Amino acid sequence: MADVTPGSAVKTVPAPKDQHLRDLADCIRFLSMDAVQLAKSGHPGAPMGMADIAVVLFKDFMKFDAAEPKWFDRDRFILSNGHGSMLLYSLLYLLGYKDMSIEDLKTFRQVGSKTAGHPEYGHAAGIETTTGPLGQGVANSVGFSLAEAIMSAKFGKDLVNHHTYVFLGDGCLQEGISQEAISLAGHYKLGNLICFWDHNSITIDGDTSLSTSEDVIGRFKAEDWHTLEIDGHDTDAIRDAIKAAQAVTDKPTLIACKTIIGFGFPTKAGTHKAHSDAPGEEEIAGARKLLSWDAPPFVIPENLLTEWRAIGARGAEARTAWEERFKSAPAEFQRRVKNELPADWRDAIAAARKEFIDSGKEMATRSASGAVLNHLFDAIPEMLGGSADLTPSNNTKAKNQTEIHPGAFDGSYMHYGIREHGMAAALNGLALHGGLIPYGGTFMCFSDYCRPSIRLAALMEIRSIFVMTHDSIGLGEDGPTHQPVEHLAAMRAMPNLGVYRPGDPVETAECWEMVLEQPHRPAFLALSRQPMPLLRKEAGTENKSAKGAYVLLEAEGGERQVTLFATGSELHMAVEARTTLQADGIPTAVVSMPSRLHFEMQDAAYKKSVIGTNKARVAVEAAVELGWERYIGDYGRFVGMHSFGASGKIGDVYKKFGITADAVVAAAKESLAEVG
Amino acid sequence: MADVTPGSAVKTVPAPKDQHLRDLADCIRFLSMDAVQLAKSGHPGAPMGMADIAVVLFKDFMKFDAAEPKWFDRDRFILSNGHGSMLLYSLLYLLGYKDMSIEDLKTFRQVGSKTAGHPEYGHAAGIETTTGPLGQGVANSVGFSLAEAIMSAKFGKDLVNHHTYVFLGDGCLQEGISQEAISLAGHYKLGNLICFWDHNSITIDGDTSLSTSEDVIGRFKAEDWHTLEIDGHDTDAIRDAIKAAQAVTDKPTLIACKTIIGFGFPTKAGTHKAHSDAPGEEEIAGARKLLSWDAPPFVIPENLLTEWRAIGARGAEARTAWEERFKSAPAEFQRRVKNELPADWRDAIAAARKEFIDSGKEMATRSASGAVLNHLFDAIPEMLGGSADLTPSNNTKAKNQTEIHPGAFDGSYMHYGIREHGMAAALNGLALHGGLIPYGGTFMCFSDYCRPSIRLAALMEIRSIFVMTHDSIGLGEDGPTHQPVEHLAAMRAMPNLGVYRPGDPVETAECWEMVLEQPHRPAFLALSRQPMPLLRKEAGTENKSAKGAYVLLEAEGGERQVTLFATGSELHMAVEARTTLQADGIPTAVVSMPSRLHFEMQDAAYKKSVIGTNKARVAVEAAVELGWERYIGDYGRFVGMHSFGASGKIGDVYKKFGITADAVVAAAKESLAEVG
């Protein structure tokens, strides 16, 4: 083991077991140092500490082909400690990924470069997920690993048989989300998941002993993991550990790797000074001496680069053999791997609509969503359901979905437990892996617990689907801790997130159609606990929600004087208010706005046709006003929430907060009076 | 041990060790059943399962006096599994808390009642914290426990010497936040913290085995806890366990209590059917028979009520003795217990202002905040600092603060580790306990990790202070994962949360003053990484930020034609733009809006005087537009973010997204042209 005394620098480097492997690792070390130094910003410590592990993993184990980075059956490599991004970028360059040139490394952390401060999904092939917010990568990995297990159970090991390898740091472990992930992975017996803990005893504030006394191995054992402890610079030990991990197929493995942060730095190694920031020319010069490295910055000696490139091409044969098998794979597998929906999937939406219209019944949108899912799952078998222990409330389990059990992955429904954050991050991993369309439910108030993962889905532009029921004070008795009030505004503030709040069963079907149409946008479905009447009774399959907002009922008996905007469970309230206003001789339109985001994508003419040229306007939504000012304008009124909610019967709660059709009528008349 | 077979009902009740204690427990059980049945909503399972534990704890151990529920040195009782609220309400009634009558129990879950679906802090004395969102209570408890330890270390055991007792369920344990809490508590050796796990093997979806395989004891041991396992219905075992827990003073204790959910129900006990919802008259009748309980609904037999009331009064003597000691306690202790600030605390704000003005230097608001804290801590020793492993970046450690170490609580600064959520919940517990004013820092982007706890602070109306630095794309190289874009809007959407974004060092001091002035409002300080010029150079101590927004620079050379709104690091941009516009002959005002919430509290006349009657307006903020429409109105323009950020040098990033003084000038001219 490397001799690391917390708080003091490691001024020598342990002799390598294999100098050649050390040289390969030093390629990563110097590229990382050089790039951070050039950028004058970044995190050299982790790449330098984990370089030896990366060498053994990629040289001897990783199943991949740098020439075809999207090969479906590749092993996934997840850098959960994303601040160590130069480790990944260095690897991609060394291995010969076409997306990553030496120039890209030189523009590390510059605007427009592929090499962002933290790995950004979509910037370059080989970046499997966006990491940086700590704990997210390891929690994504549960999704990657689950996806492999589920696809493998259905289509066989000839087509799907790979591992998920994860690098993670102390920060990942301290974040609560990692516990949810570890616990889920252990419970479900995800044997294809192998994690390497960069046990360097250092965080930004100083030694980890400042803030933690955890027995990490004990913690993982308690979650039923296979655990190993090694010297993270001993290449033989690394190799043996990975072999042992692969041999245990009914448990995930944690390999605790004792490492020296900033391995090779002459004065900063082993201390928190190695964690972040440019090391300085002098420190790098010292590292060159210590590691006997002669090459200039950003230059990799040819023999080493050649070997790295050979490692990058090592999987070509396996990949082409798989491609042969793929040609004769089931059509469903081929379709799912290509991320294509079945040709007739929209029939499921049409069938749900017809069901709603035929019945004509009032219905909670969470129930309507459940009914849509019954049809959708039959049409789209890759839909993977789940809930954070609220299955009966979220209506997330389609009637033909079967449960996935620990070690038995031939199902389509997950019990994520009371782990909203872990679920959301797993959904991201599932979506990123491909072959599945994951959705998961909880109470909308607890979307706050998922928010960091929802944000990453939005940033990555992936179709994770968050089914959020009990979407307002309409939740009733559970009270303000469970009643979302600010969540609609807070979620609408997030770029690229589709926030849908359907106002009746038909709109619910339309919103699900929108969700599935957009593979590059995560969805946040805000669904009611309480029933609401069927408002959309027309035949046909035109998706009126698709433009985000539309005129549900135009003004009658004259030019439009008032526009009422509403969403979700308040839509029928606006319709009632309109009836009164029309009876009072005020031509009033009702605009339904299930998705603000989609409405904002429309052209000015359409927007104007919906909003109207009249200035008297009212928005009604059982949530805070923030954002509605945009539509109601200078003379408008808002009927909604101005505080947290209250525990009580739904009708009483709505009355308490003055969200009623009468209040909408009064507000409309006020607005009209102000317009004059 | 009770014989519980997962999935099958427990149709008999184990014989009690002590029938009298069973009778006392049955008081809780029947009140809980009756209230849930009357409300036709609620969660009877946990109160019925944990009633025996509650009896032993309150009868033999809890230090409290129902007549003086706010006694500072009382033990704190935290119901982390807050859905079991009827356990707490029943206890408060039985113990004779004046705030809780039998009528209150009969209005369980009705609008206006004290007995909300989940315990709401402030509704009745004896409710120490709002729980319901799972895991929050146990994480609050770390704060309660820390507060006791810190106050005790400073003022001695004669004045401060109590325990924090926590009831928690499987949901609490599955939530990631509990891991952060457990890990923190174990690390800091919080020996005064004793938790009871309601190990009933049931969640809403069914048996816990559906979603977890955790060795809970192993998990707690890994975090250095003292652990015990008992039958949660064996009153002798419960008593012994609490004694053993109290004897271990250098470790928190987990007592795993094997319980039967819905203990006493004839068909639902031991199954997930006992968890939620009204049990039905028949089930309650069966429970009456099984437990030989003759009293009608909501009636407690007199002998039992008398004994309960005696338990409630048991602590009177200890309390009055403490009150005597309090009279001769140090003035600082008396002041802090009364939640009063030192008389001269504002001098610290004035000193910081003077320092900024004398230096005249440009400064990041995070640095200004650090400078303010240097003065504030010297003036207000109860300020307890901390950071989630970003101390050097958050500038949260005042120069005279000393670190708290495991088991050594005579300090004023906490290393919370990379546990943003656990930190935020601990801040809530610290604030609720009293005697300390807690604040904690992280990068603002990771406020998403803290959001559920920030929400509870806002709902509870307590002064938890969240110091959020690196508040925009101005963070630069770390890129979009670390750049808040939607967070300002998302936080402003939250009722009662003070969101402050100061625009220069003086405003930073003013915002801190506002934070400390408001004991019933949590604070969210959005502070920049990058420096900005000193804009407020006037002498004096008038707090211009206190009204939320004010005219920083009035239009000159004619009636105001344009209003520029800005906050934080964009304020100086607005000032630059104004210079250009004025030079172009356009009288332009700059409005600084450090707190939207406080501006909204002002009267219409003041608001109008700030916004102006002119229609040409521009808001500039390096964040999304949501909410600014309210101020810029129908003709306004917004200069800010419309997407996630990007990794790069700060200047390049601002340019890429078009957030510049030139853009503000152009937008102002556009707006002016539209007004015509």
Side-chain angles (χ1 to χ4, degrees):
Chain A
M1 290 274 166
D3 180 29
V4 182
T5 311
S8 35
V10 180
K11 299 193 176 174
T12 57
V13 289
K17 282 268 168 82
D18 179 325
Q19 182 60 48
H20 181 60
L21 296 182
R22 170 70 60 85
D23 291 343
L24 288 173
D26 287 348
C27 298
I28 297 171
R29 292 194 174 99
F30 282 95
L31 288 175
S32 299
M33 273 184 257
D34 292 342
V36 172
Q37 181 62 22
L38 188 65
K40 302 234 175 318
S41 155
H43 302 82
M48 296 168 72
M50 297 192 86
D52 298 308
I53 308 165
V55 166
V56 177
L57 176 64
F58 278 83
K59 183 172 174 302
D60 294 347
F61 296 94
M62 275 288 289
K63 172 170 151 182
F64 75 107
D65 180 2
E68 284 295 342
K70 290 280 172 195
W71 173 23
F72 187 80
D73 199 29
R74 71 191 179 280
D75 288 340
R76 299 323 194 254
F77 175 71
I78 312 298
L79 186 75
S80 190
N81 47 350
H83 53 277
S85 56
M86 272 310 304
L87 174 72
L88 181 55
Y89 302 149
S90 300
L91 279 168
L92 297 182
Y93 163 68
L94 291 166
L95 293 164
Y97 280 74
K98 273 175 247 144
D99 262 7
M100 192 63 67
S101 69
I102 197 76
E103 288 312 311
D104 290 319
L105 301 191
K106 289 181 185 170
T107 55
F108 180 50
R109 294 185 154 235
Q110 304 308 314
V111 162
S113 80
K114 294 171 184 168
T115 49
H118 295 79
E120 301 282 343
Y121 177 70
H123 278 211
I127 301 175
E128 301 282 6
T129 181
T130 295
T131 51
L134 293 172
Q136 295 291 334
V138 62
N140 292 161
S141 300
V142 171
F144 279 106
S145 166
L146 256 178
E148 194 272 349
I150 294 167
M151 291 293 282
S152 184
K154 183 161 177 95
F155 296 106
K157 292 230 164 271
D158 270 2
L159 292 172
V160 186
N161 185 17
H162 53 266
H163 284 90
T164 301
Y165 294 103
V166 186
F167 279 17
L168 56 86
D170 290 295
C172 295
L173 291 180
Q174 291 194 20
E175 293 288 0
I177 187 176
S178 70
Q179 179 64 17
E180 301 184 20
I182 293 163
S183 183
L184 263 174
H187 174 67
Y188 275 103
K189 301 186 182 299
L190 297 176
N192 59 8
L193 177 63
I194 299 175
C195 295
F196 301 84
W197 168 35
D198 186 20
H199 179 20
N200 60 28
S201 307
I202 292 295
T203 69
I204 289 176
D205 271 8
D207 300 331
T208 50
S209 61
L210 267 179
S211 61
T212 190
S213 307
E214 178 168 286
D215 165 15
V216 172
I217 295 292
R219 176 177 165 201
F220 277 77
K221 277 191 200 293
E223 306 301 335
D224 211 14
W225 280 55
H226 172 224
T227 62
L228 297 162
E229 291 179 82
I230 61 168
D231 177 343
H233 303 297
D234 176 341
T235 46
D236 292 342
I238 297 164
R239 194 178 303 106
D240 291 346
I242 300 175
K243 276 186 199 156
Q246 289 186 341
V248 174
T249 57
D250 63 346
K251 287 183 181 195
T253 295
L254 175 78
I255 307 175
C257 307
K258 192 83 198 95
T259 61
I260 300 168
I261 191 169
F263 181 103
F265 278 149
T267 75
K268 299 184 174 191
T271 78
H272 71 117
K273 290 178 198 154
H275 185 282
S276 318
D277 301 331
E281 297 292 357
E282 200 176 332
E283 191 75 10
I284 296 183
R288 283 203 149 69
K289 217 164 156 185
L290 208 56
L291 296 171
S292 311
W293 188 262
D294 299 328
F298 294 105
V299 173
I300 299 299
E302 206 182 319
N303 64 321
L304 294 175
L305 190 58
T306 304
E307 172 147 10
W308 268 113
R309 294 290 154 91
I311 296 169
R314 191 172 49 76
E317 202 177 322
R319 190 256 305 166
T320 49
W322 183 89
E323 283 170 350
E324 276 309 306
R325 295 198 294 282
F326 182 76
K327 285 179 192 161
S328 52
E332 184 186 330
F333 182 74
Q334 296 189 3
R335 180 183 65 70
R336 286 166 65 166
V337 166
K338 288 180 202 154
N339 200 19
E340 288 166 1
L341 292 173
D344 57 355
W345 73 274
R346 285 178 206 269
D347 295 353
I349 300 291
R353 284 179 76 134
K354 187 169 180 311
E355 192 176 295
F356 299 142
I357 290 170
D358 287 353
S359 118
K361 273 192 213 151
E362 66 170 26
M363 212 173 179
T365 48
R366 64 171 168 146
S367 308
S369 172
V372 173
L373 284 171
N374 284 339
H375 292 281
L376 275 180
F377 176 68
D378 291 347
I380 309 176
E382 60 265 41
M383 290 197 71
L384 179 76
S387 166
D389 195 51
L390 290 169
T391 298
S393 299
N394 298 145
N395 296 65
T396 33
K397 188 163 182 291
K399 64 179 188 300
N400 290 329
Q401 279 177 331
T402 56
E403 285 175 356
I404 289 164
H405 294 289
F409 300 100
D410 52 340
S412 40
Y413 195 80
M414 283 287 298
H415 286 287
Y416 289 104
I418 303 147
R419 304 184 186 96
E420 298 85 3
H421 201 180
M423 172 177 76
L427 296 183
N428 290 352
L430 285 155
L432 286 161
H433 180 280
L436 292 160
I437 298 178
Y439 65 92
T442 186
F443 285 161
M444 186 165 137
C445 217
F446 304 138
S447 63
D448 276 352
Y449 279 82
C450 314
R451 197 171 165 95
S453 300
I454 296 175
R455 183 176 208 259
L456 284 168
L459 178 59
M460 290 193 274
E461 303 182 359
I462 58 174
R463 188 177 46 201
S464 304
I465 306 170
F466 307 99
V467 180
M468 298 292 173
T469 70
H470 299 61
D471 70 346
S472 75
I473 53 167
L475 167 102
E477 288 87 348
D478 275 343
T481 53
H482 286 52
Q483 292 168 349
V485 160
E486 72 279 25
H487 299 69
L488 282 169
M491 289 296 168
R492 286 174 186 147
M494 198 180 278
N496 196 43
L497 178 65
V499 178
Y500 307 88
R501 190 168 190 247
D504 89 336
V506 168
E507 279 195 4
T508 307
E510 289 178 336
C511 287
W512 266 110
E513 187 175 26
M514 293 165 73
V515 169
L516 288 163
E517 275 169 349
Q518 301 169 91
H520 297 299
R521 172 163 295 135
F524 185 100
L525 285 152
L527 304 171
S528 75
R529 177 188 185 204
Q530 72 270 33
M532 51 185 87
L534 181 73
L535 298 170
R536 290 277 305 284
K537 299 173 184 171
E538 83 279 6
T541 57
E542 187 203 349
N543 188 328
K544 292 192 176 179
S545 301
K547 287 185 174 168
Y550 63 95
V551 179
L552 174 70
L553 293 168
E554 192 43 278
E556 287 173 9
E559 213 167 310
R560 191 199 291 189
Q561 288 187 37
V562 170
T563 306
L564 305 179
F565 299 88
T567 76
S569 46
E570 288 69 65
L571 185 58
H572 73 93
M573 225 172 253
V575 170
E576 280 168 50
R578 174 183 175 274
T579 304
T580 306
L581 289 163
Q582 285 282 155
D584 290 351
I586 303 167
T588 300
V590 171
V591 168
S592 176
M593 192 183 280
S595 168
R596 176 191 162 107
L597 180 75
H598 289 82
F599 184 60
E600 284 300 316
M601 292 177 199
Q602 307 307 314
D603 61 32
Y606 179 76
K607 283 200 235 181
K608 201 162 184 181
S609 76
V610 171
I611 296 173
T613 49
N614 54 302
K615 296 277 184 190
R617 303 175 200 162
V618 178
V620 53
E621 185 168 63
V624 298
E625 181 173 9
L626 201 84
W628 278 109
E629 297 96 335
R630 185 176 192 88
Y631 305 108
I632 59 177
D634 287 351
Y635 301 89
R637 292 291 183 277
F638 175 72
V639 175
M641 294 298 292
H642 303 276
S643 68
F644 290 109
S647 171
K649 290 200 179 68
I650 171 173
D652 297 344
V653 177
Y654 267 86
K655 253 180 236 137
K656 176 182 166 68
F657 293 108
I659 306 176
T660 61
D662 286 350
V664 175
V665 169
K669 289 182 178 173
E670 261 185 55
S671 179
L672 208 51
E674 193 178 328
V675 172
Chain B
M1 290 276 164
D3 179 30
V4 182
T5 313
S8 36
V10 180
K11 298 192 177 173
T12 58
V13 288
K17 282 266 169 84
D18 180 327
Q19 182 61 47
H20 180 61
L21 295 181
R22 169 70 59 83
D23 290 343
L24 288 172
D26 287 347
C27 299
I28 297 171
R29 291 195 174 99
F30 282 95
L31 288 175
S32 299
M33 271 183 258
D34 292 343
V36 172
Q37 181 63 22
L38 187 65
K40 302 232 174 323
S41 154
H43 302 81
M48 295 169 73
M50 298 193 85
D52 298 308
I53 307 165
V55 167
V56 176
L57 176 64
F58 278 83
K59 184 172 173 301
D60 295 347
F61 297 94
M62 274 289 290
K63 171 171 153 181
F64 75 107
D65 180 2
E68 284 295 341
K70 292 280 174 194
W71 173 22
F72 187 80
D73 199 28
R74 71 191 178 279
D75 289 339
R76 295 337 190 245
F77 175 71
I78 312 298
L79 186 75
S80 190
N81 48 349
H83 53 276
S85 55
M86 271 311 304
L87 174 72
L88 180 55
Y89 303 148
S90 301
L91 278 168
L92 297 182
Y93 164 67
L94 291 166
L95 293 164
Y97 281 74
K98 273 175 247 143
D99 261 7
M100 193 64 66
S101 68
I102 196 76
E103 288 312 310
D104 290 319
L105 301 192
K106 290 181 183 168
T107 56
F108 181 47
R109 294 185 154 233
Q110 304 308 313
V111 163
S113 80
K114 294 172 185 167
T115 49
H118 295 79
E120 301 281 343
Y121 177 71
H123 277 211
I127 301 175
E128 301 281 6
T129 180
T130 295
T131 51
L134 294 172
Q136 296 290 335
V138 61
N140 291 161
S141 300
V142 172
F144 279 105
S145 166
L146 258 178
E148 194 274 347
I150 293 168
M151 292 292 282
S152 183
K154 183 162 177 94
F155 297 105
K157 292 230 166 271
D158 270 1
L159 292 172
V160 186
N161 185 17
H162 53 266
H163 283 90
T164 302
Y165 295 103
V166 185
F167 279 17
L168 56 86
D170 291 294
C172 295
L173 292 180
Q174 291 194 21
E175 294 289 359
I177 187 176
S178 69
Q179 179 63 18
E180 300 184 22
I182 294 163
S183 182
L184 264 174
H187 174 68
Y188 276 102
K189 301 188 184 299
L190 297 175
N192 58 7
L193 177 62
I194 299 176
C195 295
F196 300 85
W197 167 36
D198 186 21
H199 179 20
N200 59 28
S201 308
I202 292 295
T203 69
I204 289 175
D205 270 8
D207 300 332
T208 50
S209 62
L210 269 179
S211 61
T212 190
S213 307
E214 178 168 287
D215 165 14
V216 172
I217 295 292
R219 176 179 165 200
F220 277 77
K221 276 189 199 295
E223 306 300 335
D224 211 15
W225 281 54
H226 171 224
T227 62
L228 297 161
E229 291 178 83
I230 61 167
D231 177 342
H233 303 297
D234 177 341
T235 45
D236 292 342
I238 297 164
R239 193 178 305 106
D240 292 345
I242 299 174
K243 278 184 198 157
Q246 289 186 342
V248 174
T249 58
D250 63 347
K251 286 184 182 195
T253 295
L254 176 78
I255 307 175
C257 306
K258 192 83 199 94
T259 61
I260 299 167
I261 191 169
F263 181 103
F265 277 149
T267 74
K268 297 183 175 190
T271 77
H272 71 116
K273 288 177 197 153
H275 185 282
S276 319
D277 301 331
E281 297 293 355
E282 200 177 332
E283 190 76 10
I284 296 182
R288 283 202 149 69
K289 218 164 154 183
L290 209 54
L291 297 171
S292 310
W293 188 264
D294 299 327
F298 294 105
V299 173
I300 299 298
E302 207 181 316
N303 63 320
L304 295 176
L305 189 58
T306 304
E307 173 147 10
W308 269 113
R309 294 288 155 92
I311 296 170
R314 192 172 46 78
E317 201 177 323
R319 190 255 306 165
T320 48
W322 182 89
E323 282 170 352
E324 278 308 307
R325 295 198 294 281
F326 182 76
K327 285 179 194 161
S328 53
E332 184 187 331
F333 181 74
Q334 296 189 2
R335 180 182 67 68
R336 285 166 65 165
V337 165
K338 289 180 202 152
N339 200 20
E340 288 166 2
L341 292 174
D344 57 354
W345 73 275
R346 283 178 208 270
D347 294 353
I349 300 291
R353 283 179 77 133
K354 186 170 180 311
E355 191 176 297
F356 298 143
I357 291 169
D358 287 353
S359 120
K361 272 192 214 152
E362 67 171 24
M363 212 173 178
T365 49
R366 64 170 168 147
S367 308
S369 172
V372 173
L373 284 170
N374 284 340
H375 291 281
L376 275 179
F377 175 68
D378 290 348
I380 310 176
E382 59 265 42
M383 291 199 69
L384 179 75
S387 165
D389 195 49
L390 289 169
T391 299
S393 300
N394 298 146
N395 296 64
T396 34
K397 188 163 181 294
K399 63 179 189 300
N400 290 329
Q401 280 177 331
T402 56
E403 286 177 356
I404 289 164
H405 293 290
F409 300 100
D410 52 340
S412 41
Y413 195 81
M414 284 286 299
H415 287 287
Y416 290 104
I418 302 146
R419 305 184 185 96
E420 297 86 2
H421 200 179
M423 172 177 75
L427 296 183
N428 290 352
L430 285 156
L432 286 161
H433 181 279
L436 292 160
I437 298 179
Y439 66 91
T442 184
F443 285 163
M444 185 165 136
C445 216
F446 304 138
S447 63
D448 277 352
Y449 279 82
C450 313
R451 197 171 165 95
S453 300
I454 297 176
R455 183 176 207 261
L456 283 168
L459 178 59
M460 289 192 274
E461 303 182 359
I462 58 173
R463 188 177 45 201
S464 304
I465 306 170
F466 307 99
V467 180
M468 298 292 172
T469 71
H470 299 62
D471 70 346
S472 75
I473 54 167
L475 167 102
E477 289 88 347
D478 274 344
T481 53
H482 286 51
Q483 292 168 348
V485 160
E486 73 279 25
H487 299 69
L488 282 169
M491 289 296 168
R492 287 174 185 149
M494 199 180 278
N496 195 45
L497 177 66
V499 178
Y500 307 88
R501 190 167 190 247
D504 89 335
V506 169
E507 279 195 4
T508 307
E510 290 178 336
C511 288
W512 266 111
E513 187 174 26
M514 293 167 73
V515 169
L516 288 163
E517 275 169 349
Q518 302 168 91
H520 298 299
R521 172 163 296 134
F524 184 101
L525 285 154
L527 303 171
S528 76
R529 178 189 185 202
Q530 73 271 31
M532 52 185 89
L534 182 73
L535 298 170
R536 290 275 306 284
K537 298 173 186 172
E538 83 280 4
T541 57
E542 187 202 350
N543 188 327
K544 293 193 176 180
S545 300
K547 288 186 173 168
Y550 63 95
V551 179
L552 174 69
L553 293 168
E554 192 43 277
E556 288 172 8
E559 212 166 310
R560 192 199 294 187
Q561 286 187 38
V562 169
T563 307
L564 305 179
F565 299 88
T567 76
S569 47
E570 287 69 64
L571 185 58
H572 72 93
M573 224 172 253
V575 171
E576 281 169 50
R578 175 183 174 274
T579 305
T580 307
L581 289 163
Q582 286 282 157
D584 291 351
I586 304 168
T588 300
V590 172
V591 169
S592 177
M593 193 184 280
S595 169
R596 176 192 162 106
L597 180 75
H598 289 82
F599 184 60
E600 285 299 318
M601 291 177 199
Q602 307 308 314
D603 61 31
Y606 179 76
K607 284 200 234 180
K608 202 165 185 176
S609 76
V610 172
I611 296 173
T613 48
N614 53 304
K615 297 278 184 191
R617 304 175 198 161
V618 178
V620 53
E621 186 169 63
V624 298
E625 181 173 10
L626 200 84
W628 278 108
E629 297 96 333
R630 184 176 193 88
Y631 306 107
I632 59 177
D634 287 351
Y635 301 89
R637 292 290 184 278
F638 176 72
V639 175
M641 295 297 294
H642 303 276
S643 68
F644 290 108
S647 170
K649 291 200 178 67
I650 171 174
D652 296 344
V653 176
Y654 268 87
K655 253 181 235 137
K656 176 182 165 68
F657 293 108
I659 306 176
T660 61
D662 287 350
V664 175
V665 170
K669 290 182 177 173
E670 261 184 54
S671 179
L672 208 50
E674 194 179 326
V675 173

